[in-house]
Amino acid sequence: MEILNASLVNWSRAQFAMTAAYHWLFVPLTLGLGVMMAIMETNYVRTGDEKWRKTAKFWQTIFGINFAIGVATGIILEFQFGTNWSNYSWFVGDIFGAPLAIEAIVAFFLEATFISIMFFGWNRVSKKAHLTATWLTILGATLSAYWILVANAWMQYPVGMNFNPDTVRNEMTDFWAVALSPVAVNKFFHAVLSGWGLGASFVVGVGSWYLLKKRHVDFALKSIKMGAAFGFISFILLAVTGDGSAYQVAQKQPMKLASMEGLYKGKTGAGMVAFGILNPNKQAYNDSIDPYYFKIELPKLLSLLGYRDINAFVPGINDIVDGGYTLPDGEKALSFDEKKEHGQLAIQALANYRKAKQEGRDADAAEYKNTLQENYAYFGYGYLKTGQDSIPHVPLTFYSFHLMVIIGFYFILMFAIVWYFGHKKKMESAKWLQYIALWSIPLAYLAGQLGWIVAEVGRQPWTIQDVLPVQAAVSGLSTGNVITTFILFATLFTLLLVAEVTIMVKQIKKGPEI
Amino acid sequence: MDTKLTQPAKKFNWFSLFWEGVTHMSILGKTLWIVVIIKLMVMFGILKPFFFPDFLNSKCQNDKDKAAYVIEQLIDRTNHTP
């Protein structure tokens, strides 16, 4: 038996978080810039204007740099499933494997096949064939994102499966429940749109740099105007899908929503915090310390977002731990202690089932299997000790969520202003706005990272919501091994990032061939 | 009599697309390919075999053993949860 310690769990989590964060530096730009360069090439094919061709080719080069540096960084995450999260990997069985396999076979090959025509085929295939290849490349990238997000959505809202105690694996019973989970669908649109928004901010920012340098002015103005319109629409739609996310989280992960809002005591007609400073002295959910130093609340908005009813009750962290409140389906919410009891029953039933099977006591085994299945929904609670263990890191979740939303609304305003200035032909002379657009590029990257922090820190302690906590999921490696690979990954990814930035800056400085 | 010479339409050919693309690649393209190749070699040649072996494969011979190992872990972790 390996001795498990908190340090191993935390380093394993940190390693996965770090590699995922690096991966998410490359993916959104692929998604967003990909669509924009396809739109630019579409303009070229429609109008025959060579300037659009050269504009599209320039952004395609930038796309290519990002794609080449970023490709396969996601595979590092898969390495870790097998090494650092072996219990989890085995436990999730084909639920995880199927979407990842589809992603690799269908989406990647679609991308890989048509990207070659996109890069090599400019003067070798017809305009329309090349344009089709460009759109199919980005479709492939987007499909990849869908299947990865299906896998992640299942962690947040496990559906369409049945646990088999003989194989100790979750077996898929309903592929479409997994593939079309409402959490997956919303997450997909929200994540892809965040990439579109980032791509737009990148194009507008780089275009603004050219204006500041008074280089390639016509190219820059064209790119900025298109980028601003695309960015504005993307961020508006991001607000809509963000609303959808809040609704899904309220229904399926109420503890995450409560943490996002720093809501400890539930309320009917709960307001949403527009801005707030948490009290760092609040260490436990059941101490009497006020969670806030200060907050500005928008009345009733949280109830509206979470339950589509301005007078709905939104449970706080305390309510979820203590239970007893009425759920949307009319049932009474279980307390943490009640869920823990169910979880312990399930785990004990699993142990008894194993013993009964080994001893050939089939009737007993069948009874234990029933008990396991009846209590399986709360399996993971059997590993937790106190209610505090079921609560994610509230300050990190809270600040990440609110900062992400503020940045989102900032971009709606910024793109609106940039588009207006472009439309009124004032962008070229508005140096202050060019600087703002340029320095906004990192904010788009930050918003994307913050979104993932909300999603993944907010689901703690779970690797699979309610079913498997991190401490049961992690491999029994030595902490030293994990620290070593953490440092290796940090070094590798930093080198890749430096390479990307260096090559990209060089190419941007070189400029388009116009 | 005038004869009009016409060029036959070039048939699309995957091989020539790749061959011409690769042989006429810019310095940037070649640099990116070198980065990709080095990255993949490091990932699959060094990281995966030496630092990221499959944990269960290293402990167990077959699926039955893996199931037995994982079930033991799942049961035992309730007693030793940090």
Side-chain angles (χ1 to χ4, degrees):
Chain A
M1 176 212 54
E2 291 92 357
I3 302 296
L4 201 63
N5 61 67
S7 185
L8 168 66
V9 176
N10 289 335
W11 274 107
S12 301
R13 289 173 61 200
Q15 182 178 267
F16 199 91
M18 188 227 353
T19 47
Y22 266 108
H23 182 56
W24 198 249
L25 290 176
F26 303 109
V27 174
L29 190 60
T30 296
L31 295 175
L33 196 55
V35 172
M36 293 192 66
M37 74 183 186
I39 293 173
M40 289 167 185
E41 193 181 335
T42 305
N43 283 349
Y44 161 59
V45 171
R46 271 183 51 243
T47 62
D49 184 350
E50 274 294 316
K51 281 186 180 170
W52 276 118
R53 178 176 184 268
K54 289 172 178 172
T55 302
K57 275 198 93 173
F58 171 77
W59 291 114
Q60 184 189 297
T61 305
I62 304 297
F63 171 92
I65 295 167
N66 184 72
F67 186 86
I69 307 285
V71 77
T73 52
I75 290 177
I76 301 279
L77 298 165
E78 293 197 37
F79 289 177
Q80 290 174 78
F81 288 138
T83 305
N84 301 86
W85 300 96
S86 56
N87 292 350
Y88 168 84
S89 290
W90 185 262
F91 193 77
V92 297
D94 295 328
I95 313 288
F96 223 65
L100 295 188
I102 296 171
E103 187 260 340
I105 294 163
V106 174
F108 182 73
F109 278 109
L110 187 68
E111 215 175 324
T113 302
F114 289 101
I115 209 169
S116 55
I117 300 178
M118 198 178 85
F119 283 115
F120 294 151
W122 272 105
N123 298 319
R124 295 180 181 88
V125 300
S126 71
K127 278 189 208 175
K128 283 186 180 167
H130 191 275
L131 179 64
T132 305
T134 301
W135 278 108
L136 285 173
T137 300
I138 192 60
L139 178 68
T142 309
L143 280 178
S144 276
Y146 186 77
W147 291 107
I148 298 293
L149 292 168
V150 161
N152 183 272
W154 186 81
M155 295 167 69
Q156 319 281 347
Y157 176 54
V159 288
M161 83 285 186
N162 195 44
F163 179 68
N164 184 338
D166 293 308
T167 58
V168 197
R169 301 193 97 163
N170 282 278
E171 293 171 347
M172 197 185 292
T173 54
D174 186 346
F175 172 79
W176 294 112
V178 176
L180 297 177
S181 150
V183 173
V185 172
N186 193 88
K187 192 182 268 287
F188 166 71
F189 283 112
H190 197 62
V192 167
L193 283 164
S194 80
W196 290 11
L198 188 146
S201 83
F202 190 87
V203 166
V204 169
V206 170
S208 296
W209 184 80
Y210 283 118
L211 290 183
L212 285 166
K213 297 292 179 190
K214 299 195 192 315
R215 288 176 53 191
H216 307 294
V217 170
D218 189 45
F219 155 84
L221 289 171
K222 260 186 161 64
S223 296
I224 287 170
K225 200 169 170 196
M226 206 204 110
F230 187 69
F232 180 77
I233 294 167
S234 298
F235 274 95
I236 291 284
L237 291 174
L238 260 170
V240 172
T241 53
D243 167 73
S245 292
Y247 177 77
Q248 294 297 336
V249 165
Q251 311 301 313
K252 276 83 178 188
Q253 298 174 293
M255 184 63 88
K256 185 190 276 188
L257 185 75
S259 303
M260 283 156 65
E261 278 291 296
L263 182 70
Y264 284 82
K265 287 185 188 157
K267 282 182 200 168
T268 302
M272 186 167 173
V273 175
F275 180 77
I277 309 284
L278 293 175
N279 184 346
N281 295 318
K282 185 152 186 81
Q283 297 293 315
Y285 75 97
N286 51 2
D287 63 32
S288 54
I289 297 171
D290 190 336
Y292 281 95
Y293 274 153
F294 164 79
K295 62 175 170 174
I296 300 171
E297 221 175 66
L298 300 169
K300 310 250 185 201
L301 189 58
L302 192 63
S303 289
L304 182 66
L305 281 179
Y307 298 94
R308 304 286 188 248
D309 176 358
I310 56 170
N311 293 313
F313 177 75
V314 180
I317 290 170
N318 293 14
D319 304 287
I320 296 165
V321 173
D322 296 337
Y325 64 93
T326 307
L327 293 165
D329 62 4
E331 296 287 315
K332 202 169 115 173
L334 297 180
S335 67
F336 168 81
D337 288 333
E338 287 168 323
K339 290 175 187 172
K340 183 178 165 181
E341 205 180 308
H342 282 293
Q344 287 173 336
L345 276 172
I347 295 169
Q348 189 58 53
L350 181 64
N352 292 342
Y353 175 83
R354 179 182 65 159
K355 196 154 184 264
K357 286 289 274 189
Q358 283 167 351
E359 293 169 1
R361 294 181 282 119
D362 290 342
D364 289 343
E367 198 183 312
Y368 292 132
K369 191 174 176 179
N370 267 347
T371 306
L372 169 61
Q373 280 165 351
E374 279 166 10
N375 295 279
Y376 181 73
Y378 300 106
F379 189 88
Y381 284 88
Y383 296 96
L384 306 183
K385 292 195 175 90
T386 67
Q388 191 67 40
D389 294 337
S390 66
I391 303 168
H393 194 279
V394 173
L396 187 54
T397 314
F398 173 87
Y399 286 119
S400 297
F401 173 64
H402 286 88
L403 191 52
M404 175 191 71
V405 171
I406 289 168
I407 293 173
F409 281 106
Y410 160 79
F411 271 111
I412 290 175
L413 182 64
M414 192 206 84
F415 282 125
I417 294 171
V418 169
W419 184 87
Y420 176 80
F421 270 67
H423 181 65
K424 291 290 183 189
K425 305 205 191 307
K426 291 180 180 176
M427 188 67 198
E428 194 178 341
S429 56
K431 250 190 154 158
W432 61 274
L433 189 53
Q434 292 159 21
Y435 275 114
I436 286 173
L438 176 62
W439 289 108
S440 293
I441 296 175
L443 286 180
Y445 280 97
L446 178 62
Q449 298 293 341
L450 292 170
W452 277 109
I453 291 172
V454 174
E456 303 301 271
V457 172
R459 69 165 158 79
Q460 299 300 319
W462 308 109
T463 53
I464 309 168
Q465 182 71 35
D466 297 342
V467 172
L468 195 73
V470 288
Q471 53 265 52
V474 74
S475 301
L477 295 167
S478 81
T479 308
N481 278 356
V482 183
I483 294 172
T484 301
T485 50
F486 180 96
I487 292 168
L488 270 174
F489 276 150
T491 308
L492 174 67
F493 275 106
T494 304
L495 286 172
L496 284 176
L497 191 60
V498 167
E500 157 133 347
V501 172
T502 305
I503 297 171
M504 211 178 264
V505 165
K506 195 174 168 185
Q507 198 61 29
I508 290 169
K509 280 183 176 170
K510 190 180 165 193
E513 290 164 14
I514 292 176
Chain B
M1 187 168 65
D2 288 331
T3 52
K4 204 172 181 181
L5 291 169
T6 52
Q7 293 272 1
K10 241 182 171 177
K11 208 177 166 185
F12 179 79
N13 184 293
W14 280 109
F15 177 78
S16 66
L17 177 82
F18 272 102
W19 182 254
E20 286 172 29
V22 169
T23 52
H24 291 87
M25 216 186 283
S26 64
I27 292 173
L28 172 66
K30 285 173 184 165
T31 307
L32 291 176
W33 266 109
I34 290 167
V35 169
V36 171
I37 288 165
I38 292 173
K39 175 174 54 172
L40 293 176
M41 279 170 62
V42 167
M43 280 183 195
F44 289 99
I46 299 171
L47 291 180
K48 181 75 178 101
F50 296 108
F51 294 97
F52 287 91
D54 186 284
F55 184 81
L56 287 180
N57 282 347
S58 69
K59 295 259 177 193
C60 313
Q61 301 290 327
N62 51 47
D63 281 359
K64 198 173 164 206
D65 290 348
K66 286 176 187 175
Y69 177 84
V70 172
I71 201 173
E72 189 188 310
Q73 289 293 302
L74 290 179
I75 293 163
D76 192 61
R77 294 273 172 104
T78 53
N79 297 324
H80 298 279
T81 299

